[in-house]
Amino acid sequence: MANEVVDHGRRRFLTATTAVVGGVGVVAAAVPFIKSWEPSARAKAAGAPVTVDISKIEPGQKVTYPWRGLPVFVVNRTKEQLDALPSQDNRLVDAKSEGSSADQQPKYAQNEYRSIKPEWLVLVGLCTHLGCVPDFVPVMKPEPFDPEWKGGFYCPCHKSRYDMAGRVYAGVPAPKNLLVPPYHFVDDKTIQVGVDPKEAG
């Protein structure tokens, strides 16, 4: 027994084979474990950007799209609605979106229209009071809740009102302007909600 010749080549082969098989086993066991750290398809979809075709939205019309479980209003404002915005400034809590509502829109929407292009308004459709979905009341005429109504959003739950830029009126329960989500124009007919213009390039 002591005089038996050791086959070093076979020993190296068996050692290498065992190491390879063990390594493959470790990788095979690790893959499902690492995959479990990734967000589910449902979670990815919930946070994914939403692409919106705006080509069929008529002037004065609002269409609602879901994004991250939130209703997003896309409104094609008329020239008349845009022209009326400055006349409401003295009735609003934060007309320039510089005070309590400064965090309610990205910098590129911190303007008179609260939008990238004046006619296109993109808002998260949740009242800043208790999160109800406000009604879209676009017609510029006296309303029971506001005899000087120039179009906008009205929350019937607690009577909060917002103008056609989503700016909150003074004297209502809602404390801030409606939220403008991150968004950008893919082209003249398409908006992508959930991605800022600088991140889109």
Side-chain angles (χ1 to χ4, degrees):
M1 284 295 240
N3 294 333
E4 283 186 16
V5 177
V6 175
D7 186 345
H8 291 287
R10 184 170 184 216
R11 180 177 284 177
R12 278 193 297 273
F13 171 76
L14 289 173
T15 302
T17 302
T18 303
V20 168
V21 169
V24 168
V26 167
V27 169
V31 166
F33 178 69
I34 291 169
K35 284 254 186 214
S36 71
W37 293 348
E38 293 181 8
S40 68
R42 186 174 176 182
K44 285 179 185 174
V50 174
T51 302
V52 175
D53 178 2
I54 59 173
S55 63
K56 293 184 173 64
I57 304 177
E58 298 292 329
Q61 182 184 13
K62 170 192 74 79
V63 179
T64 304
Y65 299 91
W67 173 67
R68 294 187 175 178
L70 304 171
V72 172
F73 296 165
V74 178
V75 182
N76 185 356
R77 294 179 286 196
T78 65
K79 183 179 185 314
E80 184 185 22
Q81 290 167 336
L82 291 171
D83 289 347
L85 288 176
S87 71
Q88 300 303 295
D89 286 3
N90 64 348
R91 303 179 64 207
L92 304 169
V93 170
D94 190 6
K96 303 298 181 194
S97 300
E98 296 169 341
S100 63
S101 293
D103 61 344
Q104 290 299 96
Q105 66 280 311
K107 290 288 184 194
Y108 53 83
Q110 195 163 0
N111 53 50
E112 182 180 6
Y113 307 108
R114 298 187 74 228
S115 60
I116 296 172
K117 295 184 179 181
E119 67 274 25
W120 291 106
L121 178 64
V122 181
L123 297 170
V124 173
L126 294 177
C127 180
T128 58
H129 177 222
L130 294 176
C132 305
V133 177
D135 295 335
F136 180 54
V137 187
V139 180
M140 299 170 62
K141 66 179 182 66
E143 293 286 351
F145 53 82
D146 188 340
E148 299 175 52
W149 188 246
K150 299 298 182 188
F153 304 89
Y154 173 65
C155 188
C157 304
H158 301 97
K159 309 205 178 341
S160 290
R161 303 184 318 279
Y162 305 86
D163 75 350
M164 282 300 293
R167 301 177 298 175
V168 68
Y169 282 92
V172 301
K176 292 183 176 186
N177 296 341
L178 292 174
L179 179 69
V180 176
Y183 76 97
H184 72 280
F185 283 83
V186 177
D187 54 43
D188 287 340
K189 297 180 178 179
T190 315
I191 289 174
Q192 189 174 53
V193 179
V195 179
D196 285 313
K198 63 177 182 276
E199 295 171 2

